[in-house]
């Protein structure tokens, strides 16, 4: 199987790069976020991810509320519990997700499913298609 690449760089090459070099490869919005500096919570999440990656990871889920954290090459292969407003949705990071945000993969709104007509509905509004 072919090793996944991101904009011409393999994930292993990106792991050897500094954070500034990785930022140069990322899209403009993610690059701007990294250039302006990470917050203290984002730094802690990055350190926990690095420690977990060195230990081997396994089935450990890193729970976080940081939906605006850019997915970095260090996160590939790890599982994150991203808060969606009510609970933590488990997101397993794949190489294709690098450069996106954690929140993009934990949707905050549920799909709307409508039921049948309610009490007092008129005859014309009671029409429900078969398929």
């Amino acid at each position: 199987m072919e090793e996944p690449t991101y904009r011409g760089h393999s994930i292993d090459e990106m792991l050897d790069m500094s954070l500034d070099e990785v930022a140069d490869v990322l899209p403009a919005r993610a690059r701007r976020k990294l250039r302006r500096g990470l917050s203290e919570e984002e730094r802690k999440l990055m350190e926990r991810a690095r420690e977990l990656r060195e230990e081997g990871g396994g089935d450990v889920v890193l729970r976080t509320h940081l939906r605006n954290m850019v997915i970095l090459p260090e996160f590939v292969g790890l599982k994150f519990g991203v808060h969606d407003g009510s609970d933590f949705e488990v997101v397993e990071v794949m190489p294709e997700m690098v450069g996106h945000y954690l929140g993009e993969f934990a949707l905050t709104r549920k799909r709307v499913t409508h039921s049948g007509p309610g009490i007092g509905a008129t005859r014309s509004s009671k029409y429900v298609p078969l398929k």
Side-chain angles (χ1 to χ4, degrees), residues 90-105:
V90 177
V91 175
E92 186 173 354
V93 179
M94 305 296 205
E96 300 85 34
M97 297 179 179
V98 173
H100 290 268
Y101 291 85
L102 284 174
E104 293 180 48
F105 303 101

Side-chain angles (χ1 to χ4, degrees), residues 115-127:
S115 61
I119 296 173
T122 62
R123 289 284 177 206
S124 63
S125 67
K126 287 186 177 182
Y127 172 73

Side-chain angles (χ1 to χ4, degrees), residues 20-91:
D20 289 333
E21 292 171 334
V22 170
D24 289 335
V25 178
L26 296 177
R29 176 55 41 193
R31 185 168 52 242
R32 175 177 165 81
K33 181 174 180 58
L34 293 177
R35 292 264 165 81
R36 297 188 90 186
L38 297 175
S39 68
E40 188 61 34
E41 295 86 17
E42 292 168 337
R43 286 189 198 287
K44 285 180 184 176
L45 180 66
M46 207 162 83
E47 289 303 318
R48 288 192 311 177
R50 284 182 179 157
E51 290 170 7
L52 194 61
R53 188 174 177 84
E54 289 172 5
E55 294 172 8
D59 290 334
V60 178
V61 177
L62 287 172
R63 291 172 53 159
T64 183
H65 285 257
L66 298 173
R67 299 174 56 82
N68 64 341
M69 180 65 186
V70 177
I71 296 177
L72 299 170
E74 289 96 6
F75 298 170
V76 173
L78 299 179
K79 292 181 182 176
F80 288 88
V82 182
H83 198 261
D84 66 358
S86 61
D87 57 346
F88 291 89
E89 206 170 307
V90 177
V91 175

Side-chain angles (χ1 to χ4, degrees), residues 99-115:
H100 290 268
Y101 291 85
L102 284 174
E104 293 180 48
F105 303 101
L107 301 179
T108 58
R109 294 176 181 90
K110 296 206 172 16
R111 183 173 173 85
V112 176
T113 55
H114 298 286
S115 61

